[in-house]
Amino acid sequence: MKFGIGQPVGRLEDRRFVTGRGRFLDDLRIDGALHLAVVRSPVAHARIRSVDVTAAEAVEGVVAVVTAERMDPEGRMHIPCLVPLKNRDGSRRADPPRPVLARDRVRHAGEAVAFVVAESRAAAEAAAEAVAVDWEELPAVVDPARADAAAVTLHEAAPRNVAFDWHFGDEAAVAEAFARAAHVTRLELVNNRVVPCAMEPRACLAHPEEGTGRLVVWVPSQGVWLHRQLLARLLGLPEARIRVRTPDVGGGFGMKIFVYPEYVMVAWAAHTLGRPVRWTAGRGESFLADTHGRGHVTVAELAFDADARMLAYRVRVRADMGAYLSNYAPFIPTLAALKVLTGVYRIPAVSYGVLGVFTNTQPVDAYRGAGRPESIYALERLVDVAARELGLPPEELRRRNMIAPEEMPYRTAAGETYDSGEFVRLMEACMTRADWAGAAARREEARRRGRLRGIGMAYYIEATMGDAEERARVRFLEDGTVEVAVGTQSTGQGHETAYAQILAERLGVPPERVRVVQGDTDVMEEGGGTGGSRSLTAEGTALLEAAARVIEKGRLAAAHHFEAAVDDVVFADGVFRVRGTDREIALLELARLVASWRERPAGLESGLDADAEITLSAYSYPNGCHIAEVEVDPETGTVDLVRYTVVDDFGVVLNPLLVAGQVHGGIAQGVGQALLEHAVFDPDWGQLLTGSFADYALPRADRLPFVDFSYIEIPCRHNPLGVKGCGEAGSIGAPPAVVNAVMDALAPLGIRHLDMPLTPARVRAAVAAAGG
Amino acid sequence: MPRVVMRVNGKEVSGEVEPRTLLVEFLREHLGLTGTHVGCDTSQCGCCVVHLDGRSVKSCTVLAVQCEGAEVLTIEGLARNGELHPIQRAFHECHGLQCGFCTPGMIMSALELLQRHPAPTEPQVRAWLEGNLCRCTGYHNIVRAILQAAEEMRQAPRPAA
């Protein structure tokens, strides 16, 4: 079957995007919509002495100027953090309030203190400029490594700026193992803070719904349900009074999961004024008001026995939370990172401690990979450094410690049960494709050209699932369309195609008849959204279940129609047949027929339409090997990524074309983090110095090579499709592979470790310091 | 307010605009041509690339009043009679887009590249795209798509408009 599972099907959604007919949030048009502009703090930390809106209110076209006092006189509108987390002493994490509008204090540059609603965007922006705030500036806490020792605290509810002090593992067992270790490798490293930078800036449009009076809120989300829940809570409305919708989304990468203050402002303004209100972030606002990612300062130690086998792993992280706890922020460096803390290795004992700290910077939350890139980066860097110290090739140290296929299912010291994986096989396959054996000759050839060439590998494992529950609903429409409502949200992954592939194969219907519906709380009452590479594992399973129910109903209907026994009706290739007869009917024809029946037998009251709700029993564990090869120009410090090879195990691959796209994009983000990207703050005053695309270096086409991507399918045992999830993998494997390659290039100079991003300035300084 | 008249996608259009109105605002807000996107405010991202008198420009960096009498081509005007331009087709066939937000600017930028250099090398394509950011694809399939489109356009040149 050309369209079935495993085929590189071209995307059904492409035509609208290549012809300019995609519909992103800022493309929506509603007559008479008012424009909202946000008044933001120009400083990172300050007391607000007063806010004067007189001049702003006098600007022509202004409808309302709203401060915290006006919007929320009782001080109740706080955006909650939804993650419960216990400190190591059993107490609960700090929970300082995060107001929609700052009242008496701002805690990061860009924090909202007021907003203006006006007839035009120009008027709204002019009036926002005219709001006069009297600031009493305070020293800023910027460096997460020293935040808990800072003289200033951000929140009364968080002494020493500590959001949480969390620990997992057996400290005593780890200490004992370290005491008897033949070798210990220790590394201090920074997982640089980065900005997600979806190309579509965030936006929001809210309006009263004609006829019902409900509030309709459009947001570029990764799932509408969280937004409905929190907007209802903050506005004090029943959830039934709010409908949340999401149109085409121009990239999310985790950052568009969350509920942001601007959405509450827009929704509140539309509700209060009874008129449509819209807001679209400029890129500068995106840098100041989107969540950032990563931001870890880590000390990691790995203990080995005399045979270079891993005995124990101790990791201490200071995780930057920014000024407030975003919706899921504390989960990322703790429980999410923990899942793959031990990577693909047999490590009998772990001790993992995370100190979450507040700084006067934008809130930090999930960004592609969310905790797992941080864990894998630390471990895979450590393994490379250890190999050098132990005098072993890096692949040999990995091989010696990798969990073998016959050990599956394998329970790790971090508490995960890996179901499947053939790590040595994939590593060797990747080494072959990357011509690992030929690297020495290429290094020598480069040396003659005055260039330092290096090769590096990383073996990542990921844990995917997110919300274990998911739903699907299949409806047969009168015009012959099979409509599938889902609880996930595509932000570019190609769900319209992938889901159609599953249904087209299972139901034997033409794919062009399948229409995927997403992004509307009226269509699906609940859903888990897209995040954690869960869409195919969770939604795919729900689609299979829904398809199975359609087929069961179809057998019932066909039996009724042909006056045969249900047990005699079989289904194959989209057709129901009565065994031993020539009676048969196609699924879509049967659906139409059943819809026309005035009286329907029990079980067919809703025709062949079917709903499914599933709960996944366990996580899936995509894994794979990345090999990067780089050339460093010692005179300029420039790093050229000259070759990139990746072999992944994503379980069963539904659509190789889409999977390759995910891998390419993830690698580009990982390479960006390794070589280019860095959210840099003024160390004293907390200003984001990289607040535009002119300063924040996203990878461009000329900084990246083609990627040699291939995969080996080792089916997941935890879901019926056998899929493992591929969305985040690239961004997990790439940073350690690239840094390992650069460190390999610089090893002859005696350079042991450099922190990301490996910018020309940083590399050149290290080379110079090493006498190069 | 000044009145501006230009041709957009072959049709004469006009509007009263504030002098500060950017071409991209004119296209999106006055003409409803929302295929041209705005991804930044510093002329870095290239989501807003259109053709102005046959040259690719970032429409966030051109004032609408500068386009008096000009010929503007946007992504909406590229397909003819429902038939995709070879670059549009190649982006689809090579999976050169994911979220689709940068795509119109990428395609319009690639159009000028292939008009100037019908047989670009891979490094030439990558260098040409320095003014267009994509966060989804890692550029891998965008570069492949442009190379494929170049090949196709050399073999079957499209008649001029």
Side-chain angles (χ1 to χ4, degrees):
Chain A
M1 179 188 280
K2 249 177 60 197
F3 202 82
I5 291 171
Q7 295 299 316
V9 175
R11 300 204 316 174
L12 302 174
E13 48 270 81
D14 281 354
R15 193 173 174 96
R16 68 177 185 270
F17 293 122
V18 299
T19 54
R21 287 199 298 271
R23 202 163 65 128
F24 298 96
L25 211 143
D26 193 59
D27 302 339
L28 306 177
R29 294 288 175 269
I30 289 194
D31 287 343
L34 299 170
H35 294 257
L36 186 146
V38 182
V39 180
R40 298 186 183 279
S41 171
V43 294
H45 201 186
R47 280 196 193 86
I48 300 171
R49 289 206 190 95
S50 64
V51 181
D52 183 354
V53 300
T54 323
E57 284 177 330
V59 173
E60 195 183 332
V62 166
V63 175
V65 183
V66 180
T67 60
E69 289 296 335
R70 291 187 185 183
M71 182 188 199
D72 179 25
E74 290 162 18
R76 285 189 192 159
M77 292 175 79
H78 300 142
I79 297 179
C81 171
L82 302 166
V83 181
L85 195 75
K86 289 266 176 74
N87 295 314
R88 59 162 81 206
D89 66 6
S91 60
R92 282 187 296 189
R93 66 160 171 80
D95 194 21
R98 178 186 182 192
V100 173
L101 289 174
R103 185 173 302 264
D104 46 21
R105 181 123 162 232
V106 288
R107 296 180 177 86
H108 71 83
E111 185 173 351
V113 290
F115 64 85
V116 176
V117 182
E119 299 289 348
S120 70
R121 183 164 178 166
E125 287 174 355
E129 287 278 314
V131 171
V133 184
D134 188 5
W135 309 99
E136 179 189 333
E137 204 165 350
L138 299 167
V141 180
V142 180
D143 181 0
R146 288 180 298 171
D148 54 319
V152 195
T153 48
L154 274 75
H155 302 279
E156 272 179 37
R160 297 192 302 123
N161 296 316
V162 172
F164 52 85
D165 180 2
W166 177 89
H167 181 265
F168 174 91
D170 187 339
E171 283 190 275
V174 168
E176 185 273 324
F178 271 80
R180 66 183 157 88
H183 181 82
V184 171
T185 294
R186 182 179 190 277
L187 196 59
E188 292 182 26
L189 39 78
V190 172
N191 202 291
N192 47 323
R193 181 170 165 147
V194 293
V195 186
C197 293
M199 293 313 298
E200 180 208 18
R202 286 190 299 112
C204 187
L205 168 64
H207 62 89
E209 190 172 51
E210 223 169 292
T212 67
R214 289 189 305 172
L215 186 64
V216 181
V217 185
W218 293 82
V219 285
S221 77
Q222 295 181 220
V224 284
W225 303 274
L226 175 70
H227 293 266
R228 179 182 59 186
Q229 178 201 339
L230 295 189
L231 287 172
R233 195 192 294 184
L234 268 80
L235 299 185
L237 293 170
E239 287 193 15
R241 299 295 296 161
I242 297 183
R243 177 183 185 184
V244 178
R245 303 187 68 183
T246 292
D248 286 328
V249 182
F253 314 116
M255 178 273 288
K256 283 181 183 163
I257 294 173
F258 316 118
V259 174
Y260 289 87
E262 295 88 357
Y263 304 162
V264 184
M265 297 176 212
V266 172
W268 181 88
H271 178 65
T272 306
L273 299 169
R275 292 184 60 180
V277 177
R278 68 186 313 145
W279 165 81
T280 300
R283 182 55 60 181
E285 276 187 293
S286 303
F287 275 100
L288 290 174
D290 292 356
T291 51
H292 293 184
R294 317 287 191 252
H296 286 195
V297 181
T298 300
V299 180
E301 298 168 282
L302 194 50
F304 295 88
D305 71 11
D307 294 325
R309 288 180 208 285
M310 298 172 184
L311 293 174
Y313 189 31
R314 185 190 287 136
V315 188
R316 294 291 177 268
V317 170
R318 273 188 163 71
D320 193 351
M321 294 286 104
Y324 299 99
L325 295 178
S326 175
N327 299 153
Y328 297 105
F331 177 74
I332 310 308
T334 56
L335 297 162
L338 174 65
K339 290 193 168 296
V340 297
L341 187 78
T342 55
V344 292
Y345 309 110
R346 274 180 237 101
I347 306 181
V350 299
S351 166
Y352 182 41
V354 185
L355 194 72
V357 294
F358 291 108
T359 58
N360 290 110
T361 63
Q362 287 67 32
V364 176
D365 207 327
Y367 167 57
R368 201 173 194 166
R372 291 150 297 181
E374 294 90 320
S375 283
I376 295 297
Y377 178 69
L379 181 59
E380 287 299 297
R381 277 294 297 133
L382 204 53
V383 169
D384 252 40
V385 171
R388 213 169 280 284
E389 290 176 353
L390 292 166
L392 288 171
E395 70 275 21
E396 173 54 27
L397 184 58
R398 286 183 172 84
R399 193 181 286 122
R400 208 172 280 189
N401 287 282
M402 279 174 165
I403 299 158
E406 52 273 20
E407 293 175 87
M408 300 288 175
Y410 182 90
R411 189 168 167 84
T412 72
E416 292 295 293
T417 302
Y418 297 164
D419 65 299
S420 57
E422 300 182 19
F423 311 136
V424 172
R425 178 182 167 201
L426 265 80
M427 180 177 73
E428 288 175 350
C430 193
M431 289 167 66
T432 302
R433 289 187 76 103
D435 187 21
W436 182 269
R442 295 193 292 277
R443 176 200 293 269
E444 178 54 25
E445 184 277 327
R447 195 188 59 78
R448 289 198 294 271
R449 287 184 281 114
R451 309 262 285 180
L452 301 167
R453 190 165 173 129
I455 192 165
M457 72 159 64
Y459 204 106
Y460 79 92
I461 188 163
E462 194 191 346
T464 70
M465 182 161 80
D467 191 339
E469 292 173 25
E470 199 43 271
R471 299 167 185 228
R473 176 179 300 149
V474 176
R475 293 276 177 273
F476 293 88
L477 307 187
E478 269 179 43
D479 65 358
T481 301
V482 184
E483 187 188 87
V484 189
V486 295
T488 53
Q489 177 67 51
S490 181
T491 57
Q493 296 88 341
H495 292 175
E496 289 167 51
T497 306
Y499 296 161
Q501 265 180 279
I502 294 174
L503 274 190
E505 172 163 303
R506 288 296 157 126
L507 298 181
V509 298
E512 60 274 10
R513 288 290 181 84
V514 180
R515 188 170 73 214
V516 174
V517 185
Q518 59 184 357
D520 188 344
T521 51
D522 270 12
V523 172
M524 274 304 242
E525 57 281 2
E526 288 297 338
T530 286
S533 304
R534 70 183 289 278
S535 295
L536 211 51
T537 54
E539 189 68 63
T541 303
L543 290 171
L544 287 188
E545 178 63 24
R549 289 187 189 184
V550 167
I551 292 165
E552 277 317 295
K553 285 182 153 199
R555 292 178 63 220
L556 201 63
H560 183 75
H561 175 58
F562 291 125
E563 297 181 344
V566 175
D567 286 346
D568 286 337
V569 178
V570 292
F571 178 75
D573 301 327
V575 177
F576 293 93
R577 294 185 175 82
V578 182
R579 226 192 302 258
T581 74
D582 60 356
R583 283 174 294 174
E584 61 174 50
I585 184 166
L587 174 69
L588 289 180
E589 199 187 331
L590 182 64
R592 257 193 307 273
L593 186 69
V594 175
S596 74
W597 292 345
R598 277 205 211 129
E599 289 187 23
R600 295 179 195 158
L604 293 174
E605 293 81 358
S606 55
L608 300 192
D609 295 354
D611 289 12
E613 267 187 70
I614 61 97
T615 304
L616 291 178
S617 59
Y619 275 70
S620 298
Y621 301 95
N623 61 88
C625 188
H626 288 233
I627 293 179
E629 206 163 340
V630 299
E631 282 192 8
V632 177
D633 181 339
E635 287 179 11
T636 63
T638 308
V639 177
D640 287 332
L641 182 59
V642 292
R643 185 165 176 170
Y644 204 99
T645 313
V646 56
V647 179
D648 284 303
D649 165 18
F650 294 136
V652 172
V653 167
L654 176 70
N655 183 330
L657 199 65
L658 301 188
V659 166
Q662 289 300 304
V663 172
H664 299 155
I667 288 172
Q669 289 184 355
V671 171
Q673 184 181 13
L675 298 180
L676 300 163
E677 298 181 39
H678 196 185
V680 180
F681 293 88
D682 178 282
D684 298 318
W685 297 103
Q687 290 291 341
L688 179 63
L689 302 178
T690 51
S692 80
F693 284 151
D695 309 291
Y696 185 88
L698 284 192
R700 292 170 191 269
D702 62 352
R703 301 302 302 155
L704 295 164
F706 281 130
V707 170
D708 176 14
F709 162 65
S710 61
Y711 55 85
I712 293 174
E713 292 175 278
I714 299 161
C716 176
R717 297 171 191 174
H718 288 166
N719 65 70
L721 277 171
V723 296
K724 294 184 177 176
C726 68
E728 296 162 291
S731 63
I732 303 174
V738 171
V739 174
N740 284 345
V742 177
M743 291 307 125
D744 183 53
L746 299 179
L749 300 175
I751 298 167
R752 182 175 184 255
H753 175 73
L754 295 176
D755 281 321
M756 303 185 287
L758 300 174
T759 58
R762 194 168 277 181
V763 172
R764 174 61 205 146
V767 169
Chain B
M1 281 199 290
R3 183 170 182 77
V4 63
V5 182
M6 65 184 89
R7 287 177 70 80
V8 176
N9 300 331
K11 275 190 281 196
E12 185 171 296
V13 298
S14 63
E16 307 225 326
V17 297
E18 286 188 63
R20 64 174 169 182
T21 303
L22 300 168
L23 175 58
V24 66
E25 293 171 337
F26 182 69
L27 294 171
R28 289 180 57 82
E29 308 305 330
H30 291 249
L31 305 182
L33 293 172
T34 55
T36 302
H37 301 146
V38 179
C40 75
D41 40 24
T42 52
S43 288
Q44 308 284 320
C45 76
C47 293
C48 67
V49 171
V50 301
H51 280 218
L52 179 62
D53 291 330
R55 298 282 303 273
S56 64
V57 296
K58 289 181 173 171
S59 59
C60 70
T61 316
V62 179
L63 296 168
V65 291
Q66 288 176 281
C67 302
E68 177 67 32
E71 188 85 43
V72 175
L73 179 67
T74 73
I75 189 71
E76 288 94 342
L78 199 55
R80 286 198 207 144
N81 306 318
E83 194 192 331
L84 296 182
H85 186 279
I87 301 176
Q88 292 172 307
R89 205 163 50 238
F91 267 67
H92 165 65
E93 288 171 1
C94 297
H95 188 29
L97 64 146
Q98 290 180 30
C99 81
F101 196 79
C102 77
T103 310
M106 285 283 176
I107 290 174
M108 297 310 288
S109 183
L111 180 64
E112 192 191 353
L113 168 69
L114 299 187
Q115 285 167 348
R116 287 207 205 180
H117 306 284
T121 61
E122 181 208 332
Q124 278 175 322
V125 173
R126 290 186 182 275
W128 179 270
L129 294 179
E130 66 162 7
N132 291 82
L133 292 171
C134 169
R135 193 56 156 166
C136 296
T137 65
Y139 307 97
H140 182 111
N141 286 335
I142 290 176
V143 175
R144 276 183 58 222
I146 294 171
L147 292 171
Q148 177 179 312
E151 174 89 29
E152 195 178 318
M153 288 163 71
R154 286 200 301 278
Q155 283 171 6
R158 213 182 191 215

